Amino acid sequence: RSTTPLLSGSLPLEDDSLHLTESAAGVDRVLSGKLTELLKISGPGLKKGKSRIFYGLHEDFPCIAVVGLGRNSLGVCGTEYWDTCKENIRAAIAGGCRVLQNHVLTHIEVDGCNDSQSAAEGAVLGLFTYDDLKTKKKTRVTTQLHGSGCVSGWEKGVLYGEGQNLARYLMEAPANHVTPSVFADTITNRLAPYADHVTVHKRSQEWIEEQQMGAFLSVSKGSEEPPVFLELHYNGCPDNTQCPLLLVGKGITFDSGGISLKPPSGMDAMRADMGGAATVCSAIVTAAALNLPINIIGLAPLCENMPSGKANKPGDVVTAKNGKTIQVDNTDAEGRLILADALCYAHSFNPRAIVNAATLTGAMDVALGSAATGVFTNSDWLWEQLHKASVVTGDRVWRMPLFQHYTRQVTDCQLADLNNVGKYSRSGGACTAAAFLREFVTAPHWAHLDIAGVMTNKDEVTVLKYLLQKRPGQNGSTLSLKHVQHKTQQFKG
């Protein structure tokens, strides 16, 4: 006999009465209406995201949890810029799974809520926790789809969620446990099952020097940890002439600020300053698992930004791979330095489009907070693809300006071609950082995703617990595997 708990959903009607999902209604019929009866007498209407647990209703289930899904009439919201139904399902299922996890239950059958992919994403994301280094660990919970829902949608949602959780894992782990070398080894191991169509290159410092990536090396030289330039090739399209989608992620595995040292409060969170690299690499792992028919190349310059006698000093001038010189007035604006060289290298693959993701500026957090990722792009077409994907996935994006106004603030430089900070310091900091990156881009379709604001989750995203990382595939670190999947059709042919 099964001892598996069941998680089902309900939707409020206009008169605040409850309407059970198809799966929950089936259970209610088996119980001769007992579930509906208990929901009515156990309190006021079940609000969105709230749950109730009932025990002893059926011999096959020790308990049945019912979660509120919000109104069924909702869909794509023109003011919120996401599909409210999908987001409500993700949040409700995540919350319900956590409630059952707290009851020390190890396996849950989950109602697909007529959208099994979103339900699976919510279950996998909601149950994630990083407790590898704790003696007392949370109960490990497995999930499966209940009833006859869409199995393929559920399986796809599980892969999306697991991919995002890989990025969250890398960002949560302490910096002394995830050095550049360990990061590269972790991704290599995760890609090993797909060796027939994935190639991994872990480029050494000697290779970086041969490539004349002076900006990247100027950051890495302050640390005792050697840098790694991680290069991933996913070949999912049998047509070798198809131009690849190029993904670039900032990979600072710990950011102390360098000589321009950060304040100690909150510095521990800078173990997650490789969120862009974690997102890009996790996206490729998931693309391989999904066997997407597209060619993708991922680039992740990995290093630490540390103060030492060898570190960059304010006022130093370094030379990037494309020959442009950079005056480093703030060593804590290091992410744009390592991305500059990676973007130059990216062009050598004749990419269809280049998308880079980076926890780049605190100014982005000030501008948009944790609601959306700031997107700076030279391509209306690429913006449209990202925006469409964001609505479907709940990974909200907001287009930011790339005016010449900001370019002049980084090119008006005393000692070099460019300054790594804007002329007016903090004013428009996210915009001047994007303008700096644009100086290393010649491709007609390029987007820079500043994910600094969505790096952490306090209580804003109910799908997730209060962890450093929000949703690397959901707009916690936007770029994400789901964006890649959504754009597959645009990159075919």
Side-chain angles (χ1 to χ4, degrees), residues 219 250 252-274 304-307 314 330-336 359-363 426 452 455:
V219 177
K250 171 187 170 184
I252 298 294
T253 59
F254 187 76
D255 183 14
S256 69
I259 298 297
S260 305
L261 195 66
K262 292 178 181 290
S265 177
M267 193 193 289
D268 67 297
M270 290 299 99
R271 66 186 186 274
D273 206 26
M274 27 61 81
E304 295 180 336
N305 183 27
M306 297 292 286
N330 186 340
T331 67
D332 194 23
E334 84 298 329
R336 65 202 71 181
T359 51
L360 203 64
T361 66
R426 294 176 61 86
M455 183 182 81

Side-chain angles (χ1 to χ4, degrees), residues 244-250 299 335-336 339-347 351-358 360 374-386 399-404 406-407 410 430-450 479 487 491:
L245 168 63
L246 208 305
L247 308 180
V248 182
K250 171 187 170 184
L299 305 177
R336 65 202 71 181
L339 286 174
D341 282 337
L343 287 169
C344 291
Y345 181 63
H347 286 75
R352 176 74 175 89
I354 301 174
V355 181
N356 71 257
L360 203 64
V375 176
F376 301 81
T377 179
N378 61 359
S379 168
D380 292 339
W381 171 80
L382 187 52
W383 161 250
E384 284 300 319
Q385 308 315 315
L386 287 167
R399 192 169 188 176
M400 300 291 288
L402 268 177
F403 302 149
Q404 286 297 313
Y406 302 113
T407 300
V410 294
C431 301
T432 54
F436 177 92
L437 293 179
R438 191 181 189 180
E439 293 298 301
F440 301 90
V441 174
T442 59
H445 301 295
W446 161 73
H448 156 55
L449 280 62
D450 193 333
L479 165 65
K487 294 197 292 292
F491 286 102

Side-chain angles (χ1 to χ4, degrees), residues 82-275:
W82 63 17
D83 188 316
T84 305
C85 279
K86 290 180 178 294
E87 198 64 15
N88 286 352
I89 290 170
R90 293 182 189 113
I93 295 299
C97 284
R98 285 197 292 268
V99 168
L100 293 173
Q101 182 184 42
N102 290 337
H103 283 68
V104 199
L105 298 166
T106 59
H107 185 73
I108 305 171
E109 287 194 19
V110 179
D111 179 356
C113 301
N114 301 319
D115 184 349
S116 57
Q117 181 174 328
S118 294
E121 291 169 19
V124 175
L125 291 171
L127 289 169
F128 171 82
T129 188
Y130 180 83
D131 59 6
D132 289 28
L133 305 177
K134 290 186 176 183
T135 304
K136 186 177 181 180
K137 303 181 187 298
K138 292 284 287 185
T139 303
R140 290 293 179 260
V141 180
T142 58
T143 60
Q144 73 178 69
L145 179 64
H146 174 73
S148 58
C150 179
V151 176
S152 62
W154 174 268
E155 292 173 346
K156 186 180 293 185
V158 168
L159 289 175
Y160 284 159
E162 289 176 345
Q164 294 171 66
N165 284 347
L166 171 59
R168 295 168 76 191
Y169 173 87
L170 289 166
M171 295 179 71
E172 257 335 308
N176 63 326
H177 285 250
V178 181
T179 62
S181 297
V182 171
F183 183 108
D185 290 343
T186 300
I187 295 300
T188 301
N189 291 337
R190 291 298 294 266
L191 286 170
Y194 316 107
D196 57 333
H197 52 285
V198 176
T199 305
V200 178
H201 300 288
K202 290 184 283 189
R203 309 293 194 184
S204 66
Q205 178 163 332
E206 182 181 10
W207 180 91
I208 299 168
E209 291 169 350
E210 290 172 355
Q211 292 294 314
Q212 298 182 314
M213 295 182 174
F216 179 24
L217 289 166
S218 76
V219 177
S220 67
K221 68 182 181 181
S223 172
E224 292 297 315
E225 290 289 343
V228 177
F229 192 95
L230 185 60
E231 182 178 327
L232 311 175
H233 291 249
Y234 167 69
N235 299 304
C237 179
D239 180 6
N240 293 327
T241 64
Q242 185 199 74
C243 295
L245 168 63
L246 208 305
L247 308 180
V248 182
K250 171 187 170 184
I252 298 294
T253 59
F254 187 76
D255 183 14
S256 69
I259 298 297
S260 305
L261 195 66
K262 292 178 181 290
S265 177
M267 193 193 289
D268 67 297
M270 290 299 99
R271 66 186 186 274
D273 206 26
M274 27 61 81

Side-chain angles (χ1 to χ4, degrees), residues 308-372:
S308 74
K310 297 179 181 179
N312 272 337
K313 303 174 292 296
D316 282 1
V317 174
V318 301
T319 304
K321 179 175 172 60
N322 66 349
K324 289 189 177 182
T325 55
I326 305 165
Q327 182 174 334
V328 183
D329 275 356
N330 186 340
T331 67
D332 194 23
E334 84 298 329
R336 65 202 71 181
L337 298 178
I338 70 171
L339 286 174
D341 282 337
L343 287 169
C344 291
Y345 181 63
H347 286 75
S348 65
F349 298 101
N350 188 31
R352 176 74 175 89
I354 301 174
V355 181
N356 71 257
T359 51
L360 203 64
T361 66
M364 194 73 258
D365 184 27
V366 173
L368 296 180
S370 60

Side-chain angles (χ1 to χ4, degrees), residues 11-12 14 70-76 85:
L11 305 115
E14 295 300 328
R71 297 200 178 278
N72 194 29
S73 58
L74 299 177
V76 175
C85 279

